Amino acid sequence: MPADTTEVVCDDCHTVFHIRTARSYSGSSLGGSTSTLKTPRIKVIGTGGTIASKGESGSQTAGYHVDLTIEDLLSSIPDLSNVCELEYEQILNVDSKEFGEKELLMLHEAVSRSISDDLFDGVVITHGTDTMEETAFLLQLTVNTSKPIVMAGSMRPSTAISADGPMNLYQAICVACNKESWNRGVLIALNDQIGSGFYITKSNANSLDTFKSVIQGYLGNIVNNEIHYFFPASKPTGIQYFKLAPFPKVIVLYAHQGFDPQIVRLCASQLNVQGIIFATMGAGSLSKETNIELYKAWKEFGTPIVFSKRSMDGMVPIANLPRELEIEGKTVQFEGCMASGYLNPQKSRILLQLCLGASMNDRQIADIFKTLSFGG
C-alpha cells in the first residue's frame, strides 16, 4: 500500500456513535519519513473527553461539547510519524461522565484485543479526565500485560488558547513508544508528568496540573521529547488480576456532620446494593449511629462495607475500623467492615465490584484490600 494513504479497516454503526478503525502509515497526512522495521507501532483508541471537545471561543474553558474524532486529533500533530506508526480506532466519542458498564466493557475489549496483537508495541487511550482514574484503575486490574497502556486527556478544549490536548496526546504516544515504559502498568501522561494509573487521582477541577499522587509520587517526567523515569520498571505492589464480569451494584456514600444513618438502610433494603463504600471523615470516622446501621445492613443483607476517606491523601488503617460495637447493651463483632487503605472511594468501589464479581467472601475481600492497598 502507498505510504501516503490511510486504510479504512472497518466502519460499524452504533446507536450513539460510529466505530471506525483505520491504519495510518508513516508518510501519511501526519507527516514524516519512511518507516523502518525498528519503528514502534502504537494503537490509539479514541473515547472522547475534553481533548476531543470544541468551544465557541478561544477563551471558553467550560460548557464545551465533544466534537472531534481521534482522526482529527492525530491529524493536528504533524510530528507523530517521526515517532512511530499508528493505527487508530474510534470506539466512543463521549464525555467521560457518561462512562458506565457498557462503555467500560467496550473499551476493555478494544484494549485487550489490541494488546494481544503482536503488531502493536503499546496502546494509547484518549479519555475525559473526570473519570480517567477510574478507567485506568479498572484496566490495571483486568488487563495483564507488560506492554504500556497510556491514557491521555486534556483540561482545555481544542479551541482554547494554549489548548493542552495536542501536546498531552503527543507525549502519551511517545511514552507508549519508549521501551522503558514496559512493565510499569497502566500510565497516565498529562501536563509533562507520568503517573501510575493505579494511584493517581484528579486533584483539581480546573487547572492543567491536576493529576497527582502525592504520597506515591510521579513515575517520571517529560522534557523536550526526553522521557525521564525516576525508578526502575515495576508494577504497583501486590497487583492482582481479575476476570471482568458483570458489575455488581456498589454505591459510594459521603460522610458529613449530621449524616442521616437511615440512608444506609434505604440503600441496603430498597436499592438492593451489593456493597457500600463510605467516604469517611478523617481516617475512618463515622458517627456511632451510622456504624450501627452499617452493621445491621451487613448482618441482615450481607452487604460488605468498605471504609475509605474524604481526603485526597492518607489512608484508612484497620485499627480505625469499628470491629466491635455496643448495641442495646450487647457487644457485637462487625466482621463485614474493611479498610480501603490508600484507595479513594471511587477506586475502592471498582475493587469491591471486581471482588464481588469473583464471588469472594468478606475475608477474601479484606485480604485483597490488604494486599493491594495496605487496608483489609
PDB file of all heavy atoms in Angstrom, residues 189-220:
ATOM      1  N   ALA A 189      -0.379  10.036  31.238  1.00  0.00           N
ATOM      2  CA  ALA A 189       0.584  11.065  30.832  1.00  0.00           C
ATOM      3  C   ALA A 189      -0.173  12.368  30.606  1.00  0.00           C
ATOM      4  O   ALA A 189      -0.994  12.467  29.691  1.00  0.00           O
ATOM      5  CB  ALA A 189       1.318  10.642  29.562  1.00  0.00           C
ATOM      6  N   LEU A 190       0.099  13.351  31.430  1.00  0.00           N
ATOM      7  CA  LEU A 190      -0.625  14.623  31.353  1.00  0.00           C
ATOM      8  C   LEU A 190       0.260  15.726  31.916  1.00  0.00           C
ATOM      9  O   LEU A 190       0.900  15.550  32.957  1.00  0.00           O
ATOM     10  CB  LEU A 190      -1.929  14.543  32.153  1.00  0.00           C
ATOM     11  CG  LEU A 190      -3.138  15.278  31.564  1.00  0.00           C
ATOM     12  CD1 LEU A 190      -3.803  14.406  30.503  1.00  0.00           C
ATOM     13  CD2 LEU A 190      -4.153  15.589  32.655  1.00  0.00           C
ATOM     14  N   ASN A 191       0.297  16.850  31.214  1.00  0.00           N
ATOM     15  CA  ASN A 191       0.994  18.036  31.710  1.00  0.00           C
ATOM     16  C   ASN A 191       2.457  17.753  32.034  1.00  0.00           C
ATOM     17  O   ASN A 191       2.973  18.159  33.080  1.00  0.00           O
ATOM     18  CB  ASN A 191       0.274  18.585  32.947  1.00  0.00           C
ATOM     19  CG  ASN A 191       0.623  20.030  33.220  1.00  0.00           C
ATOM     20  OD1 ASN A 191       0.680  20.845  32.304  1.00  0.00           O
ATOM     21  ND2 ASN A 191       0.856  20.360  34.486  1.00  0.00           N
ATOM     22  N   ASP A 192       3.129  17.030  31.149  1.00  0.00           N
ATOM     23  CA  ASP A 192       4.561  16.711  31.249  1.00  0.00           C
ATOM     24  C   ASP A 192       4.900  15.681  32.324  1.00  0.00           C
ATOM     25  O   ASP A 192       6.081  15.392  32.548  1.00  0.00           O
ATOM     26  CB  ASP A 192       5.409  17.971  31.517  1.00  0.00           C
ATOM     27  CG  ASP A 192       5.245  19.034  30.448  1.00  0.00           C
ATOM     28  OD1 ASP A 192       4.966  18.674  29.285  1.00  0.00           O
ATOM     29  OD2 ASP A 192       5.377  20.231  30.777  1.00  0.00           O
ATOM     30  N   GLN A 193       3.897  15.125  32.994  1.00  0.00           N
ATOM     31  CA  GLN A 193       4.142  14.169  34.069  1.00  0.00           C
ATOM     32  C   GLN A 193       3.642  12.783  33.688  1.00  0.00           C
ATOM     33  O   GLN A 193       2.675  12.644  32.931  1.00  0.00           O
ATOM     34  CB  GLN A 193       3.453  14.615  35.358  1.00  0.00           C
ATOM     35  CG  GLN A 193       3.695  16.057  35.763  1.00  0.00           C
ATOM     36  CD  GLN A 193       5.123  16.338  36.198  1.00  0.00           C
ATOM     37  OE1 GLN A 193       5.929  15.415  36.330  1.00  0.00           O
ATOM     38  NE2 GLN A 193       5.451  17.594  36.413  1.00  0.00           N
ATOM     39  N   ILE A 194       4.294  11.752  34.236  1.00  0.00           N
ATOM     40  CA  ILE A 194       3.868  10.365  34.032  1.00  0.00           C
ATOM     41  C   ILE A 194       3.517   9.793  35.399  1.00  0.00           C
ATOM     42  O   ILE A 194       4.346   9.763  36.311  1.00  0.00           O
ATOM     43  CB  ILE A 194       4.979   9.517  33.393  1.00  0.00           C
ATOM     44  CG1 ILE A 194       5.486  10.169  32.105  1.00  0.00           C
ATOM     45  CG2 ILE A 194       4.468   8.103  33.106  1.00  0.00           C
ATOM     46  CD1 ILE A 194       6.748   9.526  31.559  1.00  0.00           C
ATOM     47  N   GLY A 195       2.276   9.355  35.535  1.00  0.00           N
ATOM     48  CA  GLY A 195       1.828   8.818  36.813  1.00  0.00           C
ATOM     49  C   GLY A 195       1.287   7.415  36.669  1.00  0.00           C
ATOM     50  O   GLY A 195       0.947   6.955  35.579  1.00  0.00           O
ATOM     51  N   SER A 196       1.202   6.714  37.781  1.00  0.00           N
ATOM     52  CA  SER A 196       0.627   5.377  37.816  1.00  0.00           C
ATOM     53  C   SER A 196      -0.884   5.473  37.823  1.00  0.00           C
ATOM     54  O   SER A 196      -1.473   6.132  38.687  1.00  0.00           O
ATOM     55  CB  SER A 196       1.098   4.630  39.068  1.00  0.00           C
ATOM     56  OG  SER A 196       0.305   3.479  39.291  1.00  0.00           O
ATOM     57  N   GLY A 197      -1.539   4.808  36.863  1.00  0.00           N
ATOM     58  CA  GLY A 197      -2.989   4.805  36.827  1.00  0.00           C
ATOM     59  C   GLY A 197      -3.610   4.150  38.046  1.00  0.00           C
ATOM     60  O   GLY A 197      -4.776   4.372  38.346  1.00  0.00           O
ATOM     61  N   PHE A 198      -2.839   3.354  38.748  1.00  0.00           N
ATOM     62  CA  PHE A 198      -3.333   2.691  39.953  1.00  0.00           C
ATOM     63  C   PHE A 198      -3.512   3.694  41.090  1.00  0.00           C
ATOM     64  O   PHE A 198      -4.482   3.632  41.844  1.00  0.00           O
ATOM     65  CB  PHE A 198      -2.360   1.588  40.369  1.00  0.00           C
ATOM     66  CG  PHE A 198      -2.829   0.738  41.513  1.00  0.00           C
ATOM     67  CD1 PHE A 198      -3.627  -0.371  41.285  1.00  0.00           C
ATOM     68  CD2 PHE A 198      -2.469   1.033  42.817  1.00  0.00           C
ATOM     69  CE1 PHE A 198      -4.065  -1.161  42.343  1.00  0.00           C
ATOM     70  CE2 PHE A 198      -2.894   0.254  43.873  1.00  0.00           C
ATOM     71  CZ  PHE A 198      -3.696  -0.848  43.636  1.00  0.00           C
ATOM     72  N   TYR A 199      -2.574   4.628  41.224  1.00  0.00           N
ATOM     73  CA  TYR A 199      -2.580   5.534  42.366  1.00  0.00           C
ATOM     74  C   TYR A 199      -3.079   6.942  42.058  1.00  0.00           C
ATOM     75  O   TYR A 199      -3.643   7.614  42.923  1.00  0.00           O
ATOM     76  CB  TYR A 199      -1.164   5.653  42.944  1.00  0.00           C
ATOM     77  CG  TYR A 199      -0.698   4.438  43.684  1.00  0.00           C
ATOM     78  CD1 TYR A 199       0.381   3.687  43.225  1.00  0.00           C
ATOM     79  CD2 TYR A 199      -1.329   4.022  44.856  1.00  0.00           C
ATOM     80  CE1 TYR A 199       0.822   2.563  43.907  1.00  0.00           C
ATOM     81  CE2 TYR A 199      -0.897   2.899  45.544  1.00  0.00           C
ATOM     82  CZ  TYR A 199       0.178   2.181  45.063  1.00  0.00           C
ATOM     83  OH  TYR A 199       0.606   1.062  45.734  1.00  0.00           O
ATOM     84  N   ILE A 200      -2.844   7.430  40.858  1.00  0.00           N
ATOM     85  CA  ILE A 200      -3.041   8.849  40.577  1.00  0.00           C
ATOM     86  C   ILE A 200      -4.517   9.221  40.600  1.00  0.00           C
ATOM     87  O   ILE A 200      -5.392   8.400  40.331  1.00  0.00           O
ATOM     88  CB  ILE A 200      -2.393   9.207  39.224  1.00  0.00           C
ATOM     89  CG1 ILE A 200      -1.966  10.672  39.201  1.00  0.00           C
ATOM     90  CG2 ILE A 200      -3.316   8.851  38.066  1.00  0.00           C
ATOM     91  CD1 ILE A 200      -0.957  10.993  38.119  1.00  0.00           C
ATOM     92  N   THR A 201      -4.800  10.480  40.958  1.00  0.00           N
ATOM     93  CA  THR A 201      -6.177  10.947  41.013  1.00  0.00           C
ATOM     94  C   THR A 201      -6.259  12.384  40.531  1.00  0.00           C
ATOM     95  O   THR A 201      -5.274  13.129  40.574  1.00  0.00           O
ATOM     96  CB  THR A 201      -6.732  10.841  42.449  1.00  0.00           C
ATOM     97  OG1 THR A 201      -8.131  11.107  42.442  1.00  0.00           O
ATOM     98  CG2 THR A 201      -6.047  11.817  43.382  1.00  0.00           C
ATOM     99  N   LYS A 202      -7.426  12.778  40.061  1.00  0.00           N
ATOM    100  CA  LYS A 202      -7.648  14.158  39.638  1.00  0.00           C
ATOM    101  C   LYS A 202      -7.839  15.011  40.886  1.00  0.00           C
ATOM    102  O   LYS A 202      -8.770  14.802  41.664  1.00  0.00           O
ATOM    103  CB  LYS A 202      -8.870  14.250  38.722  1.00  0.00           C
ATOM    104  CG  LYS A 202      -9.082  15.627  38.115  1.00  0.00           C
ATOM    105  CD  LYS A 202     -10.215  15.619  37.083  1.00  0.00           C
ATOM    106  CE  LYS A 202     -10.379  16.993  36.463  1.00  0.00           C
ATOM    107  NZ  LYS A 202     -11.423  17.005  35.402  1.00  0.00           N
ATOM    108  N   SER A 203      -6.959  15.999  41.067  1.00  0.00           N
ATOM    109  CA  SER A 203      -6.942  16.751  42.317  1.00  0.00           C
ATOM    110  C   SER A 203      -7.539  18.140  42.193  1.00  0.00           C
ATOM    111  O   SER A 203      -7.833  18.783  43.201  1.00  0.00           O
ATOM    112  CB  SER A 203      -5.495  16.874  42.818  1.00  0.00           C
ATOM    113  OG  SER A 203      -4.729  17.677  41.919  1.00  0.00           O
ATOM    114  N   ASN A 204      -7.702  18.642  40.974  1.00  0.00           N
ATOM    115  CA  ASN A 204      -8.209  19.990  40.771  1.00  0.00           C
ATOM    116  C   ASN A 204      -9.200  19.969  39.616  1.00  0.00           C
ATOM    117  O   ASN A 204      -8.920  19.394  38.563  1.00  0.00           O
ATOM    118  CB  ASN A 204      -7.056  20.954  40.480  1.00  0.00           C
ATOM    119  CG  ASN A 204      -7.492  22.409  40.501  1.00  0.00           C
ATOM    120  OD1 ASN A 204      -8.274  22.855  39.661  1.00  0.00           O
ATOM    121  ND2 ASN A 204      -6.983  23.163  41.450  1.00  0.00           N
ATOM    122  N   ALA A 205     -10.346  20.586  39.807  1.00  0.00           N
ATOM    123  CA  ALA A 205     -11.404  20.530  38.791  1.00  0.00           C
ATOM    124  C   ALA A 205     -11.113  21.403  37.579  1.00  0.00           C
ATOM    125  O   ALA A 205     -11.779  21.254  36.551  1.00  0.00           O
ATOM    126  CB  ALA A 205     -12.733  20.966  39.416  1.00  0.00           C
ATOM    127  N   ASN A 206     -10.103  22.289  37.676  1.00  0.00           N
ATOM    128  CA  ASN A 206      -9.910  23.276  36.618  1.00  0.00           C
ATOM    129  C   ASN A 206      -8.494  23.382  36.057  1.00  0.00           C
ATOM    130  O   ASN A 206      -8.325  23.622  34.863  1.00  0.00           O
ATOM    131  CB  ASN A 206     -10.323  24.664  37.131  1.00  0.00           C
ATOM    132  CG  ASN A 206     -11.654  24.646  37.849  1.00  0.00           C
ATOM    133  OD1 ASN A 206     -11.704  24.754  39.072  1.00  0.00           O
ATOM    134  ND2 ASN A 206     -12.746  24.481  37.116  1.00  0.00           N
ATOM    135  N   SER A 207      -7.485  23.230  36.896  1.00  0.00           N
ATOM    136  CA  SER A 207      -6.121  23.541  36.465  1.00  0.00           C
ATOM    137  C   SER A 207      -5.495  22.425  35.642  1.00  0.00           C
ATOM    138  O   SER A 207      -5.902  21.263  35.719  1.00  0.00           O
ATOM    139  CB  SER A 207      -5.227  23.843  37.674  1.00  0.00           C
ATOM    140  OG  SER A 207      -4.997  22.678  38.422  1.00  0.00           O
ATOM    141  N   LEU A 208      -4.494  22.775  34.845  1.00  0.00           N
ATOM    142  CA  LEU A 208      -3.820  21.800  33.989  1.00  0.00           C
ATOM    143  C   LEU A 208      -3.046  20.778  34.806  1.00  0.00           C
ATOM    144  O   LEU A 208      -2.995  19.597  34.449  1.00  0.00           O
ATOM    145  CB  LEU A 208      -2.851  22.517  33.034  1.00  0.00           C
ATOM    146  CG  LEU A 208      -3.434  23.585  32.108  1.00  0.00           C
ATOM    147  CD1 LEU A 208      -2.367  24.037  31.110  1.00  0.00           C
ATOM    148  CD2 LEU A 208      -4.663  23.088  31.378  1.00  0.00           C
ATOM    149  N   ASP A 209      -2.457  21.221  35.905  1.00  0.00           N
ATOM    150  CA  ASP A 209      -1.646  20.335  36.738  1.00  0.00           C
ATOM    151  C   ASP A 209      -2.547  19.651  37.757  1.00  0.00           C
ATOM    152  O   ASP A 209      -2.450  19.882  38.962  1.00  0.00           O
ATOM    153  CB  ASP A 209      -0.556  21.151  37.440  1.00  0.00           C
ATOM    154  CG  ASP A 209       0.441  20.268  38.164  1.00  0.00           C
ATOM    155  OD1 ASP A 209       0.580  19.099  37.781  1.00  0.00           O
ATOM    156  OD2 ASP A 209       1.076  20.758  39.120  1.00  0.00           O
ATOM    157  N   THR A 210      -3.419  18.778  37.271  1.00  0.00           N
ATOM    158  CA  THR A 210      -4.462  18.236  38.135  1.00  0.00           C
ATOM    159  C   THR A 210      -4.208  16.818  38.618  1.00  0.00           C
ATOM    160  O   THR A 210      -4.602  16.461  39.720  1.00  0.00           O
ATOM    161  CB  THR A 210      -5.832  18.304  37.431  1.00  0.00           C
ATOM    162  OG1 THR A 210      -6.830  17.759  38.288  1.00  0.00           O
ATOM    163  CG2 THR A 210      -5.821  17.518  36.125  1.00  0.00           C
ATOM    164  N   PHE A 211      -3.539  15.971  37.814  1.00  0.00           N
ATOM    165  CA  PHE A 211      -3.372  14.572  38.204  1.00  0.00           C
ATOM    166  C   PHE A 211      -2.163  14.411  39.123  1.00  0.00           C
ATOM    167  O   PHE A 211      -1.035  14.717  38.747  1.00  0.00           O
ATOM    168  CB  PHE A 211      -3.246  13.680  36.975  1.00  0.00           C
ATOM    169  CG  PHE A 211      -4.582  13.325  36.388  1.00  0.00           C
ATOM    170  CD1 PHE A 211      -5.155  14.125  35.417  1.00  0.00           C
ATOM    171  CD2 PHE A 211      -5.292  12.219  36.838  1.00  0.00           C
ATOM    172  CE1 PHE A 211      -6.402  13.823  34.888  1.00  0.00           C
ATOM    173  CE2 PHE A 211      -6.539  11.906  36.328  1.00  0.00           C
ATOM    174  CZ  PHE A 211      -7.099  12.714  35.345  1.00  0.00           C
ATOM    175  N   LYS A 212      -2.435  13.910  40.325  1.00  0.00           N
ATOM    176  CA  LYS A 212      -1.386  13.792  41.335  1.00  0.00           C
ATOM    177  C   LYS A 212      -1.554  12.506  42.145  1.00  0.00           C
ATOM    178  O   LYS A 212      -2.661  11.984  42.279  1.00  0.00           O
ATOM    179  CB  LYS A 212      -1.411  14.986  42.287  1.00  0.00           C
ATOM    180  CG  LYS A 212      -1.180  16.337  41.619  1.00  0.00           C
ATOM    181  CD  LYS A 212      -1.191  17.453  42.639  1.00  0.00           C
ATOM    182  CE  LYS A 212      -1.059  18.820  41.971  1.00  0.00           C
ATOM    183  NZ  LYS A 212       0.214  18.984  41.272  1.00  0.00           N
ATOM    184  N   SER A 213      -0.453  12.033  42.668  1.00  0.00           N
ATOM    185  CA  SER A 213      -0.454  11.005  43.711  1.00  0.00           C
ATOM    186  C   SER A 213       0.628  11.439  44.685  1.00  0.00           C
ATOM    187  O   SER A 213       1.786  11.080  44.544  1.00  0.00           O
ATOM    188  CB  SER A 213      -0.169   9.614  43.128  1.00  0.00           C
ATOM    189  OG  SER A 213       0.904   9.654  42.220  1.00  0.00           O
ATOM    190  N   VAL A 214       0.215  12.267  45.641  1.00  0.00           N
ATOM    191  CA  VAL A 214       1.163  12.996  46.488  1.00  0.00           C
ATOM    192  C   VAL A 214       2.070  12.057  47.263  1.00  0.00           C
ATOM    193  O   VAL A 214       3.300  12.232  47.287  1.00  0.00           O
ATOM    194  CB  VAL A 214       0.408  13.937  47.440  1.00  0.00           C
ATOM    195  CG1 VAL A 214       1.399  14.629  48.378  1.00  0.00           C
ATOM    196  CG2 VAL A 214      -0.382  14.973  46.655  1.00  0.00           C
ATOM    197  N   ILE A 215       1.521  11.042  47.894  1.00  0.00           N
ATOM    198  CA  ILE A 215       2.345  10.147  48.702  1.00  0.00           C
ATOM    199  C   ILE A 215       3.218   9.256  47.825  1.00  0.00           C
ATOM    200  O   ILE A 215       4.421   9.100  48.060  1.00  0.00           O
ATOM    201  CB  ILE A 215       1.456   9.280  49.619  1.00  0.00           C
ATOM    202  CG1 ILE A 215       0.783  10.160  50.671  1.00  0.00           C
ATOM    203  CG2 ILE A 215       2.275   8.182  50.302  1.00  0.00           C
ATOM    204  CD1 ILE A 215      -0.137   9.412  51.597  1.00  0.00           C
ATOM    205  N   GLN A 216       2.629   8.675  46.769  1.00  0.00           N
ATOM    206  CA  GLN A 216       3.373   7.732  45.930  1.00  0.00           C
ATOM    207  C   GLN A 216       4.273   8.442  44.923  1.00  0.00           C
ATOM    208  O   GLN A 216       5.274   7.887  44.474  1.00  0.00           O
ATOM    209  CB  GLN A 216       2.400   6.807  45.197  1.00  0.00           C
ATOM    210  CG  GLN A 216       1.582   5.920  46.110  1.00  0.00           C
ATOM    211  CD  GLN A 216       0.339   6.623  46.637  1.00  0.00           C
ATOM    212  OE1 GLN A 216       0.000   7.722  46.214  1.00  0.00           O
ATOM    213  NE2 GLN A 216      -0.353   5.967  47.563  1.00  0.00           N
ATOM    214  N   GLY A 217       3.923   9.662  44.532  1.00  0.00           N
ATOM    215  CA  GLY A 217       4.754  10.439  43.621  1.00  0.00           C
ATOM    216  C   GLY A 217       4.550  10.070  42.159  1.00  0.00           C
ATOM    217  O   GLY A 217       3.878   9.109  41.811  1.00  0.00           O
ATOM    218  N   TYR A 218       5.164  10.877  41.289  1.00  0.00           N
ATOM    219  CA  TYR A 218       5.151  10.588  39.857  1.00  0.00           C
ATOM    220  C   TYR A 218       6.185   9.518  39.523  1.00  0.00           C
ATOM    221  O   TYR A 218       7.189   9.366  40.213  1.00  0.00           O
ATOM    222  CB  TYR A 218       5.471  11.849  39.048  1.00  0.00           C
ATOM    223  CG  TYR A 218       4.396  12.911  39.085  1.00  0.00           C
ATOM    224  CD1 TYR A 218       4.654  14.162  39.644  1.00  0.00           C
ATOM    225  CD2 TYR A 218       3.137  12.675  38.551  1.00  0.00           C
ATOM    226  CE1 TYR A 218       3.681  15.156  39.675  1.00  0.00           C
ATOM    227  CE2 TYR A 218       2.153  13.658  38.576  1.00  0.00           C
ATOM    228  CZ  TYR A 218       2.437  14.894  39.133  1.00  0.00           C
ATOM    229  OH  TYR A 218       1.469  15.862  39.166  1.00  0.00           O
ATOM    230  N   LEU A 219       5.935   8.801  38.442  1.00  0.00           N
ATOM    231  CA  LEU A 219       6.904   7.808  37.969  1.00  0.00           C
ATOM    232  C   LEU A 219       7.980   8.447  37.102  1.00  0.00           C
ATOM    233  O   LEU A 219       9.103   7.950  37.038  1.00  0.00           O
ATOM    234  CB  LEU A 219       6.201   6.714  37.164  1.00  0.00           C
ATOM    235  CG  LEU A 219       5.110   5.928  37.881  1.00  0.00           C
ATOM    236  CD1 LEU A 219       4.566   4.847  36.954  1.00  0.00           C
ATOM    237  CD2 LEU A 219       5.643   5.308  39.161  1.00  0.00           C
ATOM    238  N   GLY A 220       7.606   9.525  36.406  1.00  0.00           N
ATOM    239  CA  GLY A 220       8.567  10.141  35.501  1.00  0.00           C
ATOM    240  C   GLY A 220       8.105  11.491  35.024  1.00  0.00           C
ATOM    241  O   GLY A 220       7.051  12.004  35.421  1.00  0.00           O
TER     242      GLY A 220
END
